[in-house]
Amino acid sequence: MDKTITRFDSLKAMKSDEYRAWQRLPGRDRIRAVMDLNLDLYAMKRQAADAPRLQRTVVKPSTPDRLDT
């Protein structure tokens, strides 16, 4: 994690730098960050046990056994 302190001349410059930094992150990291924010929000509302989670379905395609001749 970068601990550099940056000074901006305007709010617009700060927001554009924040946007560029956000866009540099891979999609999986952005999704994880949003999920963490949602879980924190539910925890603040004391509903953490019932918080919806991202569900992923794992599918293993079945293939017929190959017969080597």
Side-chain angles (χ1 to χ4, degrees), residues 41-52:
L41 176 65
Y42 280 110
M44 287 191 317
K45 290 184 173 184
R46 306 214 190 286
Q47 299 172 356
D50 299 329

Side-chain angles (χ1 to χ4, degrees), residues 25-68:
L25 290 174
R28 66 180 178 275
D29 291 345
R30 286 185 266 168
I31 290 172
R32 182 64 191 186
V34 171
M35 285 176 50
D36 289 343
L37 288 171
N38 283 332
L39 291 175
D40 289 344
L41 176 65
Y42 280 110
M44 287 191 317
K45 290 184 173 184
R46 306 214 190 286
Q47 299 172 356
D50 299 329
R53 304 281 197 272
L54 182 62
Q55 301 295 321
R56 182 179 298 172
T57 304
V58 178
V59 177
K60 180 181 176 188
S62 61
T63 57
D65 293 334
R66 282 186 15 185
L67 298 175
D68 292 325

Side-chain angles (χ1 to χ4, degrees), residues 11-26:
L11 178 63
K12 185 176 181 179
M14 182 188 74
K15 287 295 186 180
S16 62
D17 183 64
E18 181 180 3
Y19 181 76
R20 282 190 302 273
W22 183 253
Q23 290 298 322
R24 279 192 298 265
L25 290 174

